[in-house]
Amino acid sequence: MAITNISALWDLDSSTRVFDYLNSSGNEIIQVQNFIENQFIDPEHTPRWINSFAPRSGKVRAIVPRSPPNIVEYAVNVASQAFSTWSKSTVQHRSEILHRIASIMEQKIELFVVWESIDHGKPLFRARAEVERSIEHFRYFANYIIENDIPVHHNRGLGMATMTYEHRAPVGVYAIITSWNMPLYLLTSKIAPCLAFGCTGVAKPSELTSITAFLFSEVLRRANLPAGVMNIIFGDGPGTGSTLVRSPLVHGVSFTGGVETSIQIRENTASDIHKILFLEIRGSCPTIVFPDVDLKEAAITAASAAFENGGQLSLSGSRIYVHRSIHQSFLRELSQIVKSEYHKYTGLSPAISPEHYAKILSYLVEAGDNPARVIFQTGHIPGHVPSDGFWIPSTLLSNVSIDNLPRQELFGPVATVYPFDTEEDVVRLCNANPHGIGALILTHDMLRMGRVGRDLDAGIVWANCHLGRDLGAGITDLRAIGTGRGGGAHCRDMFTRLLALHVPSF
């Protein structure tokens, strides 16, 4: 029968236990439950459900609530009621709870690693890195709120001298909506600062990847987070998500996902001018390869940037610009790396759903029909959505016209390699791409690293490395379509308002 009790799923905390469960013919589909006011809501209150597939097998692995408006309103109401107390709690109290959340996750790390791998389809090593980083989110913000005091200023303006106390006030109830590509990482990257800075919230993870969010709800319950402070509900974007962001009791929205949904959120909240929006848009990260590189080292880094997590990262290096003098030799080296490291069941992840598989497939079919394009693939692409897993072979495209690129990012294991002639040309090409939110520079010239890094219109730039980032370092979506922020002080700006109190200074 389906697992309806969270404690049963909670005990599947090792690879052996999980795979024994999955291979047992007596076990069926996991039934995810909404988590509101520190309680799991009885499935009888859910009239409609969403099928969630296991990408590696193509089978339905879970059914997820399609939460109706009354459930959304219930969650927002309890978060609003909890705000008055939580917002006035001490930073010491909030820090202790965040440390407690991190400790429980550390004790159950194997549980989260295995289920994150199954739910999304990513390799275990990739899932482990993301779970460890998810735990770090709570440790980081638990320490941040203790260590970062707001200064006192002495002034003499018009009239008497004053002493100014700057202080921060939590914004209120936040709607937190996250994407499917790094389910637990993205969810915790928003929940941790939301709790740390005194806000309450209602989180809606992607309906495509909900199992680790379901398990994380149990972490919050076991950590004795006060009832209603953080609620996790499930559902689709047009129904559950839209109802959530439109609620007049929601003061802020923190979203990670696609352009269309971001536009819809703006439209849904246009009349509520006081609602704060932070929209992080999925995009890509151009990789620039200059002629002074070691070809093999550069190819390894470029391949990792393009195909890590199945190319399903907002900072994936799916567009690779190579200096014309080394273009052909680099392409040969890159093809060998991709062929040996990024294929089915090893370093590659499948597409997340039948719909996403079909989207990527349609573009590759178009590419294959165009004689101007040269395609390298690590395997055969079925002409239909397969029933045994949504595997797209790693694909390199060359000789593709810039004008023929898809208007939206494919968000899959497909990379396009272009030649360039000058530094100025490649910067112009990168900055002309509306999807670019980061960049990767491969060169041994330190002056070039700094010069190109400053000229690129990118919120985060790596040089001769990729994805490593200190949680305190700021990251900003510079593109007009996004208003996302990240990093310690930037997260504080998201979840608090800066206020100033002036008193006489003697």
Side-chain angles (χ1 to χ4, degrees), residues 34 36 45-48 65-75 233-236 239-240 243-244:
N34 288 317
I36 303 174
H45 296 287
T46 301
R48 300 174 64 194
R66 193 186 296 272
S67 298
N70 66 308
I71 292 293
V72 178
E73 291 167 6
Y74 171 36
I233 63 173
F234 301 90
D236 63 346
T240 305
T243 303
L244 176 58

Side-chain angles (χ1 to χ4, degrees), residues 299-317:
I300 290 172
T301 303
S304 174
F307 297 104
E308 185 80 8
N309 207 47
Q312 298 170 137
L313 294 173
S314 295
L315 293 165
S316 289

Side-chain angles (χ1 to χ4, degrees), residues 299-347:
I300 290 172
T301 303
S304 174
F307 297 104
E308 185 80 8
N309 207 47
Q312 298 170 137
L313 294 173
S314 295
L315 293 165
S316 289
S318 57
R319 304 185 188 213
I320 305 172
Y321 299 88
V322 184
H323 194 271
R324 195 176 299 276
S325 64
I326 61 169
H327 180 263
Q328 289 303 317
S329 55
F330 180 83
L331 188 57
R332 287 192 296 270
E333 192 73 45
L334 181 63
S335 299
Q336 290 301 313
I337 297 296
V338 174
K339 182 178 180 180
S340 63
E341 299 294 333
Y342 296 96
H343 47 84
K344 188 176 181 179
Y345 301 127
T346 56

Side-chain angles (χ1 to χ4, degrees), residues 12 14-27 118:
L12 297 174
S14 70
S15 298
T16 301
R17 289 180 179 178
V18 170
F19 290 113
D20 283 348
Y21 162 78
L22 294 176
N23 294 329
S24 173
S25 59
N27 293 314
I118 292 169

Side-chain angles (χ1 to χ4, degrees), residues 145-449:
I145 58 177
I146 295 293
E147 296 169 357
N148 288 270
D149 294 326
I150 297 178
V152 176
H153 304 285
H154 294 268
N155 328 245
R156 181 175 293 276
L158 296 175
M160 71 172 63
T162 62
M163 185 164 56
T164 303
Y165 292 90
E166 290 184 346
H167 62 108
R168 293 272 175 173
V171 167
V173 178
Y174 251 86
I176 294 173
I177 301 176
T178 52
S179 181
W180 47 261
N181 55 310
M182 294 193 294
L184 187 65
Y185 174 91
L186 292 173
L187 186 69
T188 57
S189 72
K190 297 176 182 297
I191 288 180
C194 180
L195 297 179
F197 295 115
C199 291
T200 59
V202 179
K204 190 202 83 67
S206 170
E207 66 274 22
L208 302 177
T209 49
S210 298
I211 293 179
T212 48
F214 183 35
L215 290 166
F216 180 72
S217 302
E218 178 67 1
V219 173
L220 297 180
R221 190 186 71 82
R222 290 174 179 251
N224 293 319
L225 182 70
V229 169
M230 184 55 62
N231 310 274
I232 300 179
I233 63 173
F234 301 90
D236 63 346
T240 305
S242 291
T243 303
L244 176 58
V245 300
R246 286 198 306 262
S247 170
L249 295 179
V250 167
H251 302 95
V253 178
S254 180
F255 168 78
T256 301
V259 174
E260 297 86 354
T261 305
S262 297
I263 294 171
Q264 188 62 55
I265 290 173
R266 284 180 177 237
E267 292 177 353
N268 287 342
T269 58
S271 61
D272 195 346
I273 196 169
H274 300 293
K275 193 165 290 186
I276 300 171
L277 302 183
F278 288 97
L279 310 176
E280 298 177 31
I281 312 302
R282 287 199 301 254
S284 65
C285 180
T287 297
I288 307 173
V289 186
F290 287 98
D292 62 333
V293 297
D294 178 282
L295 283 180
K296 185 171 183 178
E297 289 180 1
I300 290 172
T301 303
S304 174
F307 297 104
E308 185 80 8
N309 207 47
Q312 298 170 137
L313 294 173
S314 295
L315 293 165
S316 289
S318 57
R319 304 185 188 213
I320 305 172
Y321 299 88
V322 184
H323 194 271
R324 195 176 299 276
S325 64
I326 61 169
H327 180 263
Q328 289 303 317
S329 55
F330 180 83
L331 188 57
R332 287 192 296 270
E333 192 73 45
L334 181 63
S335 299
Q336 290 301 313
I337 297 296
V338 174
K339 182 178 180 180
S340 63
E341 299 294 333
Y342 296 96
H343 47 84
K344 188 176 181 179
Y345 301 127
T346 56
L348 194 64
S349 302
I352 189 64
S353 67
E355 294 76 14
H356 196 57
Y357 181 98
K359 173 186 174 182
I360 300 172
L361 174 64
S362 66
Y363 177 69
L364 293 180
V365 168
E366 178 189 348
D369 292 339
N370 190 333
R373 303 180 181 185
V374 176
I375 302 178
F376 165 81
Q377 294 171 327
T378 58
H380 171 68
I381 300 179
H384 55 84
V385 178
S387 59
D388 59 348
F390 312 130
W391 295 96
I392 295 281
S394 300
T395 304
L396 289 173
L397 304 181
S398 185
N399 295 345
V400 179
S401 169
I402 298 289
D403 295 334
N404 289 333
L405 286 172
R407 293 184 180 274
Q408 300 176 16
E409 289 299 319
L410 289 180
F411 221 55
V414 180
T416 311
V417 184
Y418 313 91
F420 73 88
D421 293 302
T422 68
E423 190 177 295
E424 292 75 15
D425 286 341
V426 74
V427 169
R428 177 181 52 80
L429 288 171
C430 291
N431 289 345
N433 171 21
H435 307 295
I437 60 175
L440 168 60
I441 304 169
L442 299 179
T443 179
H444 290 304
D445 186 333
M446 295 292 290
L447 293 177
R448 177 183 283 149
M449 288 181 192

Side-chain angles (χ1 to χ4, degrees), residues 95 111 117 130 181 250 283 447 470:
S95 178
L111 173 80
S117 173
E130 291 179 16
N181 55 310
V250 167
L447 293 177
D470 182 86

